[in-house]
Amino acid sequence: PPPPSPSPCNQDDKATLLKLWAAMGGVKLTLTKGYDDVSNWLGITVSGGRVTQIDWRKKNLKGTILKEIGNLNALTQLRLYENELSGEIPKE
């Protein structure tokens, strides 16, 4: 049987990702299939409809890590190294 399809992403999580990407100077989101489903975005893992992992290392990102990253409260892994980013990641 085919693998289960990923659950759709929470729209608040999607809005937060778009805001973060823009603030960090992201030029173009790399998609594996389509824009509407966040689980298709390269470097993003969605589980239970929530963003659980971001792997944007080595993406030539520059700018500020926004406090809104704290809105992704299901996030368990965040990889932003080898970019030129400033700002603090909220503890929560």
Side-chain angles (χ1 to χ4, degrees):
S5 59
S7 56
C9 182
N10 174 294
Q11 291 302 302
D12 291 335
D13 283 6
K14 180 179 179 178
T16 298
L17 285 175
L18 289 169
K19 189 171 186 178
L20 291 170
W21 186 258
M24 295 180 201
V27 177
K28 179 176 112 179
L29 286 171
T30 304
L31 309 176
T32 55
K33 290 185 183 173
Y35 176 81
D36 290 332
D37 186 353
V38 173
S39 64
N40 291 330
W41 298 3
L42 192 64
I44 302 297
T45 302
V46 175
S47 179
R50 302 298 309 275
V51 173
T52 57
Q53 297 180 31
I54 298 174
D55 185 356
W56 285 346
R57 60 190 156 165
K58 299 182 184 181
K59 297 293 184 207
N60 199 31
L61 299 175
K62 300 174 184 172
T64 304
I65 300 171
L66 300 178
K67 65 179 180 186
E68 283 87 343
I69 200 164
N71 295 343
L72 300 172
N73 54 23
L75 192 65
T76 58
Q77 290 188 12
L78 177 63
R79 295 184 183 103
L80 297 174
Y81 53 88
E82 296 189 37
N83 289 295
E84 294 179 37
L85 299 171
S86 62
E88 294 188 23
I89 298 171
K91 294 181 189 321
E92 298 179 24

